Amino acid sequence: METKSFTGLAPDLTITELFQQYGLAFVMVASYFGSGSVFIASSAGVRYGYGLLWAVVGAVLLGFMAQDMSARLGIFGESLAAFARKRLGSTVATILMVLLAVGCIAWTLELTAAVGKGIVVLLGLHGIGWHPFAYLTGLTAMVIGILGYDMVEKVMVTMMFGLLIAYVVVAGVSSPDLVAVSKGFVPAIESAGAMALAVSILGTTALWPNFFLESQLVENKGWTSKSDVPTMRRDLSIGYAVGGVTTIAIVVAAAAVLRPAGYTHLETFLTPGKALANVLGEWAMVVFLVGTLAAAFNSIVPIMWAPAYMIPEAMGEEFAESTRLFKLIYVVGVGVGSLSPLVHQYLGLSVINMIILFPAYNGVIGLPITALLLFWAVNDSDVMGEYTNGWKLNILNSALILLAVYSAWSAGRFVINAILSGGL
């Protein structure tokens, strides 16, 4: 007998059937919830207490909105990369996808570095250093990424629920001030620094590779008609709720434990774990660091899936169906992304610099391009038919465009200069 679902979402479905209908959103959430997200959320709690919890909620809503656009494009029209090919031509679209793929490799560089550094700290292997573990992380991601969508989805769902439980437990035992927590959900800006951190929270959640992935992968879930939209939105609601609650738990733990202990800033993304050990015990550090490592590794596969789908789609339909080309692009991309030790050696970037600067690079380059392309696609009646965005949706979606343009305008030159000059 097959195990029945008891989630309350679909009590008449078996676990297998539940995975067939839901789970795509967890792949999307796993891709943005990496070491950078943990660092930013921890920094928000340390520097501003509970004051930026409203930004987490806003980020979740923004992420949901962007993924809803992408999913509707895939259901009623075509993938975002295929749209780019039809409107820009194969040559221009392919060049654009390759340019964007550079950002995915940059993300993978910081993620392999983060996992490598985290393993060294967690296991006390300072004599070996993090470089070999960065290479090993990339090799492991190569193997998992070519197993097939269904297997990867199950891994992502399991790890995201594991992260949720781990961070909620740490937040729960930190005894937060519930009144102060509730006030943090009311939008307020204390300073320019708080505004910058709020934008960072929003920017890390609206991850542009997901715009391509969601439109591409809806077909894997069998979402092909208007009747599938409610299921798609339930899936997004569940996934982004888990991601949002996990992020809130990290902010709360940092605000309740690290801020009163005198921490005013974080030197690395691993500092919260070490600090929690001083207050709550070694178990809290282990849970926090293992969660951070899992989050970083979790992000590599879906982020590098994006160019493996995007580039063949842009090249033409005859290439889009090639499993061999998909695997080749994925493996080569992850392989290059595993070379974070060389980036450290030749560009002089520390692990923390990579964690901050490479996602920022994507925020100022990849996000504006992709957000504008997605907005164009969902308003193209030739592609979407009667399901183009209405004026209300366009007003809401404009928030994503404004965020993307503001990020590029305000931080673009600084980010590029910092990467080329050896870091922050």
Side-chain angles (χ1 to χ4, degrees):
M1 175 183 291
E2 292 187 275
T3 305
K4 294 291 183 179
S5 165
F6 51 87
T7 61
L9 296 168
D12 57 332
L13 296 180
T14 65
I15 295 297
T16 300
E17 292 168 338
L18 192 69
F19 269 107
Q20 289 174 348
Q21 287 201 22
Y22 300 98
L24 178 55
F26 284 93
V27 178
M28 302 300 106
V29 172
S31 67
Y32 85 72
F33 200 86
S35 49
S37 297
V38 174
F39 179 80
I40 289 170
S42 301
S43 295
V46 166
R47 295 175 61 185
Y48 302 105
Y50 309 109
L52 291 179
L53 289 176
W54 62 269
V56 177
V57 177
V60 168
L61 294 175
L62 186 64
F64 179 97
M65 179 178 64
Q67 294 310 126
D68 179 76
M69 279 197 294
S70 176
R72 288 188 291 109
L73 175 63
I75 292 171
F76 299 122
E78 57 201 355
S79 71
L80 187 56
F83 171 81
R85 183 185 73 243
K86 290 184 177 180
R87 289 292 176 263
L88 302 175
S90 177
T91 301
V92 174
T94 302
I95 293 172
L96 181 61
M97 296 305 116
V98 171
L99 172 65
L100 291 172
V102 172
C104 293
I105 291 173
W107 249 314
T108 305
L109 287 167
E110 65 98 349
L111 291 167
T112 55
V115 174
K117 183 71 171 180
I119 291 174
V120 167
V121 173
L122 188 63
L123 301 181
L125 302 175
H126 300 283
I128 298 176
W130 62 269
H131 294 188
F133 297 105
Y135 296 132
L136 184 61
T137 298
L139 181 62
T140 306
M142 287 182 196
V143 174
I144 292 178
I146 62 176
L147 291 178
Y149 173 79
D150 291 340
M151 178 61 70
V152 172
E153 182 185 85
K154 290 180 174 63
V155 172
M156 298 294 111
V157 171
T158 301
M159 293 184 78
M160 281 308 304
F161 272 109
L163 290 171
L164 172 67
I165 293 169
Y167 287 128
V168 166
V169 167
V170 173
V173 300
S174 65
S175 303
D177 182 341
L178 296 183
V179 174
V181 170
S182 64
K183 291 180 179 178
F185 291 103
V186 179
I189 295 294
E190 296 181 16
S191 64
M195 184 63 205
L197 203 51
V199 171
S200 296
I201 293 171
L202 294 171
T204 55
T205 307
L207 204 71
W208 68 259
N210 287 352
F211 304 166
F212 287 93
L213 279 181
E214 184 92 25
S215 66
Q216 187 80 42
L217 295 176
V218 288
E219 187 177 356
N220 289 59
K221 308 303 293 183
W223 298 339
T224 57
S225 66
K226 184 178 180 179
S227 62
D228 296 314
V229 172
T231 301
M232 175 270 289
R233 285 177 172 161
R234 279 195 297 272
D235 180 59
L236 285 176
S237 298
I238 298 165
Y240 274 84
V242 170
V245 171
T246 306
T247 305
I248 287 171
I250 295 172
V251 175
V252 168
V257 176
L258 306 186
R259 189 174 167 87
Y263 284 86
T264 57
H265 71 282
L266 301 178
E267 295 179 0
T268 76
F269 73 105
L270 300 171
T271 300
K274 297 177 182 178
L276 287 170
N278 295 332
V279 181
L280 301 177
E282 288 293 322
W283 71 269
M285 181 188 75
V286 172
V287 169
F288 194 94
L289 293 186
V290 169
T292 302
L293 295 183
F297 183 81
N298 233 11
S299 298
I300 296 173
V301 174
I303 282 177
M304 284 313 304
W305 264 2
Y309 279 115
M310 291 156 42
I311 294 173
E313 280 281 1
M315 292 170 64
E317 294 181 7
E318 67 273 22
F319 298 100
E321 301 300 323
S322 173
T323 302
R324 181 177 297 180
L325 182 57
F326 171 89
K327 291 181 178 179
L328 176 63
I329 294 173
Y330 175 79
V331 169
V332 171
V334 175
V336 176
S338 303
L339 302 179
S340 49
L342 298 183
V343 172
H344 170 67
Q345 180 178 349
Y346 290 107
L347 289 183
L349 297 178
S350 66
V351 174
I352 193 63
N353 276 325
M354 288 187 245
I355 288 174
I356 295 173
L357 291 175
F358 287 161
Y361 168 86
N362 279 281
V364 300
I365 302 295
L367 183 58
I369 294 172
T370 311
L372 288 167
L373 188 63
L374 180 60
F375 192 75
W376 180 13
V378 294
N379 283 285
D380 190 321
S381 58
D382 290 339
V383 174
M384 296 291 289
E386 63 181 298
Y387 300 106
T388 55
N389 270 11
W391 68 270
K392 293 180 180 178
L393 274 177
N394 276 335
I395 290 176
L396 292 174
N397 296 161
S398 295
L400 179 61
I401 303 294
L402 292 174
L403 170 64
V405 173
Y406 171 77
S407 298
W409 174 77
S410 62
R413 182 178 297 179
F414 170 79
V415 169
I416 301 299
N417 287 339
I419 291 174
L420 297 178
S421 61
L424 299 170

